[in-house]
């Protein structure tokens, strides 16, 4: 951060300050929400602030490449680098702002957060960029490195995606990774019908378009859903369309009475299960963190399904040793690297390593091993992640099945019969398939005659 303690409602100043904090480890969404709450900003300024922050995070490696020849080996203050990135973002991606305005505003921010010398330095860099132009990414001869810089994804992740999916499929996938995420909702059918929710949203000037991916799901535009009356009443919840698919695949018939949600926070899927089960069925929802259990309980209370959910603080790896009950259905929406969520959490691309992915895969396997001991005869485990890497998906499932012959992999089914012609039983949803988050779902059934 700048050494100067500056309070400003200028969205460009706030963007640079916010980016510097995120670079130091703050979460983008939490930091941005905090800044918006603390400052008196117009709706236009809130939009500009949000666009600048997410835009710079999404394209950081691209900007680093473009700026390198102009900076050379000069040591510059980190916030100055973030300021130059915001200028590059506006120049390259926001075509409604003229270049002279971008330059003037950026130099003004340099004066506010720094001093005259900083402003002169920023002025010189921006004018050099204007005169010389930015280096061409197409000049990079290594195809992996070129795609890494184009998409602003680390080289190791590009290598993994190409190895697993091929170069053409990887290009198609990463081409959409920096698009703005859509705002999607799930209707709480226990309290309202789809038509009632759509009408209630329209009354608050929000437009809802039916999802092609999941049942009782809609894409909403025109405003902030979480601020709506219909949200506060519990008639709907915010949930990505692909995140609804694991529960759809659980086959929650009236005969299903006991359900375990093994890693349940913040409770989106728990409440989805609650609205799909019989009134006398019970869900046990676990999380290892007490504060996250509170999130599940708050979600359940808002959606008026608390009577169907029992929460418990427990590490899912201890289910076998700590729990007596057996379950007809177990959902393991496993802790994962989250690479399916890059549109919503763009900074995770820079934080995670291949070693992290491998460690998570071990954790996921341990959770499956533990909960599998509490599946009732003919019961099912649905395993899901919000990542697109096979180490945490197919490989985890393959190892589990090799060690647990009492389970068989069955085809994952969804309400809209997504990818019906696929040759594999598991379901891979990539961000470019339906413009949703990336997700993976596997369904494993316990064979008859194998008691818990």
């Amino acid at each position: 951060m700048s050494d100067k303690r500056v309070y400003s409602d200028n969205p460009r100043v706030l963007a640079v300050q916010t980016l510097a904090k995120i670079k130091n480890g703050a979460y983008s969404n939490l930091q941005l929400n905090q800044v918006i709450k603390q400052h008196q900003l117009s709706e236009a300024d809130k939009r500009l602030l949000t666009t600048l922050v997410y835009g710079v995070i999404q394209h950081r490696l691209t900007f680093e490449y473009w700026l390198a020849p102009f900076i050379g080996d000069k040591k510059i203050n980190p916030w100055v680098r973030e300021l130059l990135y915001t200028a590059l973002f506006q120049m390259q991606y926001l075509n409604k702002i003229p270049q002279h305005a971008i330059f003037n505003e950026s130099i003004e921010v340099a004066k506010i957060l720094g001093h005259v010398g900083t402003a002169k330095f920023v002025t010189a860099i921006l004018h050099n960029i204007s005169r010389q132009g930015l280096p061409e990414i197409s000049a990079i001869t290594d195809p992996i490195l070129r795609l890494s810089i184009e998409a602003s994804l680390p080289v190791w992740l590009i290598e993994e995606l190409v190895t697993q999916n091929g170069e053409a499929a990887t290009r198609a996938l990463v081409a959409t990774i920096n698009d703005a995420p859509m705002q999607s909702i799930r209707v709480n059918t226990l309290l309202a019908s789809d038509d009632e929710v759509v009408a209630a949203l329209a009354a608050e000037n929000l437009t809802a378009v039916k999802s092609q991916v999941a049942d009782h799901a809609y894409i909403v535009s025109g405003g902030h859903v979480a601020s709506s009356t219909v949200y506060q009443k519990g008639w709907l919840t915010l949930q990505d369309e692909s995140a609804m698919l694991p529960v759809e695949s659980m086959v929650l018939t009236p005969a299903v009475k006991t359900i375990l949600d093994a890693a349940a926070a913040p409770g989106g899927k728990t409440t989805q299960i609650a609205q799909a089960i019989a009134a006398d069925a019970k869900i046990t929802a676990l999380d290892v963190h007490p504060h996250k259990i509170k999130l599940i309980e708050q979600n359940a209370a808002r959606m008026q399904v608390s009577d169907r959910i029992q929460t418990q603080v427990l590490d899912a790896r201890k289910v076998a040793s700590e729990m007596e009950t057996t379950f007809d259905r177990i959902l393991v929406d496993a802790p994962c690297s989250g690479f399916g969520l890059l549109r919503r959490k763009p900074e995770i691309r820079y934080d995670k390593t291949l070693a992290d992915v491998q460690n998570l895969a071990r954790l996921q396997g341990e959770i499956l091993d533990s909960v599998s001991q509490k599946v009732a005869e003919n019961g099912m485990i649905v395993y899901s992640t919000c990542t697109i890497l096979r180490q945490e998906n197919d490989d985890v499932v393959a190892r589990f099945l090799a060690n647990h012959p009492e389970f068989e992999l069955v085809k994952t089914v969804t309400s809209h019969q997504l990818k019906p012609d696929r040759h594999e039983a598991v379901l891979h949803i990539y961000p470019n398939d339906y413009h949703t988050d990336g997700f993976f779902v596997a369904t494993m059934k316990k064979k008859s005659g194998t008691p818990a």
Side-chain angles (χ1 to χ4, degrees):
M1 276 302 300
S2 163
D3 294 334
K4 289 169 74 173
R5 291 187 173 275
V6 173
Y7 183 92
S8 171
D9 288 330
N10 180 325
R12 290 176 172 83
V13 171
L14 293 174
V16 172
Q17 291 175 322
T18 302
L19 284 162
K21 286 179 182 172
I22 292 166
K23 195 73 172 68
N24 283 335
Y27 290 113
S28 60
N29 57 336
L30 300 179
Q31 190 61 39
L32 201 50
N33 288 341
Q34 185 180 331
V35 169
I36 288 170
K37 281 180 186 172
Q38 289 172 346
H39 293 265
Q40 299 297 315
L41 301 175
S42 67
E43 287 303 316
D45 282 350
K46 285 179 192 174
R47 282 195 299 274
L48 178 58
L49 168 61
T50 303
T51 300
L52 289 176
V53 169
Y54 279 115
V56 168
I57 296 170
Q58 287 173 326
H59 300 283
R60 186 175 292 283
L61 296 183
T62 312
F63 297 150
E64 194 176 285
Y65 173 78
W66 280 338
L67 198 57
F70 300 99
I71 298 291
D73 56 2
K74 292 188 192 78
K75 292 230 185 290
I76 65 170
N77 197 307
W79 71 264
V80 177
R81 189 177 291 273
E82 301 302 324
L83 170 58
L84 290 167
Y85 287 173
T86 64
L88 284 171
F89 175 72
Q90 292 171 84
M91 289 163 65
Q92 296 301 113
Y93 297 100
L94 299 185
N95 53 17
K96 290 183 179 176
I97 305 177
Q99 182 172 287
H100 68 85
I102 295 167
F103 282 19
N104 290 341
E105 293 282 0
S106 300
I107 293 161
E108 186 59 30
V109 173
K111 290 176 185 172
I112 293 169
L113 290 175
H115 47 72
V116 174
T118 316
K120 285 181 178 175
F121 175 77
V122 169
T123 303
I125 294 287
L126 292 176
H127 285 149
N128 282 341
I129 288 171
S130 180
R131 279 195 299 271
Q132 297 173 31
L134 296 170
E136 292 290 340
I137 294 173
S138 58
I140 302 171
T141 53
D142 181 334
I144 297 290
L145 180 59
R146 185 167 62 247
L147 189 50
S148 164
I149 299 301
E150 274 176 19
S152 196
L153 292 171
V155 166
W156 76 263
L157 182 56
I158 295 290
E159 285 174 341
E160 286 300 317
L161 290 171
V162 169
T163 299
Q164 295 174 18
N165 304 289
E167 188 173 343
T170 299
R171 283 194 165 278
L173 191 164
V174 303
T176 69
I177 217 76
N178 293 323
D179 293 349
M182 294 190 289
Q183 188 174 221
S184 57
I185 60 138
R186 190 188 78 246
V187 173
N188 182 358
T189 52
L190 295 175
L191 299 183
S193 69
D194 284 25
D195 289 345
E196 286 172 323
V197 167
V198 170
L201 287 168
E204 298 190 54
N205 299 313
L206 295 163
T207 303
V209 176
K210 197 169 183 62
S211 168
Q212 302 302 305
V213 175
D215 255 3
H216 307 296
Y218 292 83
I219 307 299
V220 180
S221 57
H224 189 235
V225 171
S227 303
S228 67
T229 306
V230 70
Y231 176 87
Q232 303 303 331
K233 285 163 65 176
W235 283 20
L236 58 83
T237 195
L238 284 159
Q239 189 176 17
D240 189 77
E241 298 161 274
S242 60
M244 302 176 203
L245 301 176
V247 174
E248 287 193 356
S249 69
M250 290 175 75
V251 195
L252 294 168
T253 65
V256 174
K257 301 300 182 188
T258 53
I259 305 102
L260 176 67
D261 190 349
K269 296 179 185 67
T270 318
T271 59
Q272 186 182 357
I273 295 168
Q275 70 186 58
I277 57 176
D280 61 341
K282 277 287 179 190
I283 306 162
T284 303
L286 309 181
D287 198 89
V288 71
H289 300 293
H291 71 279
K292 290 191 175 180
I293 288 288
K294 286 180 183 164
L295 292 176
I296 302 168
E297 292 169 348
Q298 287 164 3
N299 256 321
R302 182 178 61 80
M303 299 188 74
Q304 299 179 39
V305 292
S306 299
D307 59 327
R308 301 183 179 203
I309 299 166
Q310 173 189 331
T311 58
Q312 185 176 340
V313 178
L314 184 67
D315 185 327
R317 291 173 293 181
K318 296 182 179 177
V319 164
S321 58
E322 299 286 330
M323 301 192 81
E324 299 292 328
T325 314
T326 59
F327 298 92
D328 300 322
R329 298 287 186 273
I330 295 180
L331 173 63
V332 176
D333 186 45
C336 71
S337 59
F339 283 119
L341 309 179
L342 284 170
R343 291 193 191 112
R344 297 181 197 280
K345 298 179 178 178
E347 69 270 24
I348 65 173
R349 69 187 77 191
Y350 311 116
D351 299 339
K352 297 281 195 305
T353 65
L354 186 55
D356 293 328
V357 169
Q358 291 159 344
N359 289 333
L360 283 161
R362 278 193 289 275
L363 169 63
Q364 292 150 359
E366 289 168 9
I367 292 172
L368 279 176
D369 285 340
S370 179
V371 303
S372 69
Q373 297 175 54
K374 295 298 176 180
V375 180
E377 187 173 355
N378 293 317
M380 283 169 36
I381 299 174
V382 169
Y383 173 77
S384 63
T385 73
C386 54
T387 192
I388 51 179
L389 292 175
R390 288 179 178 262
Q391 288 94 329
E392 300 175 75
N393 295 336
D394 309 71
D395 295 354
V396 168
V397 170
R399 273 195 301 275
F400 172 77
L401 291 171
N403 294 327
H404 294 272
E406 71 274 23
F407 284 87
E408 61 182 335
L409 188 65
V410 297
K411 189 165 187 175
T412 292
V413 293
T414 59
S415 299
H416 286 254
Q417 301 298 320
L418 301 179
K419 299 191 173 181
D421 299 328
R422 70 184 191 272
H423 298 300
E424 52 190 5
V426 299
L427 179 63
H428 290 272
I429 301 292
Y430 293 100
N432 57 311
D433 287 336
Y434 306 104
H435 216 81
T436 65
D437 291 344
F439 243 84
F440 171 83
V441 189
T443 311
M444 293 165 283
K445 186 174 181 181
K446 190 166 189 181
K447 297 173 184 175
S448 297
T450 53

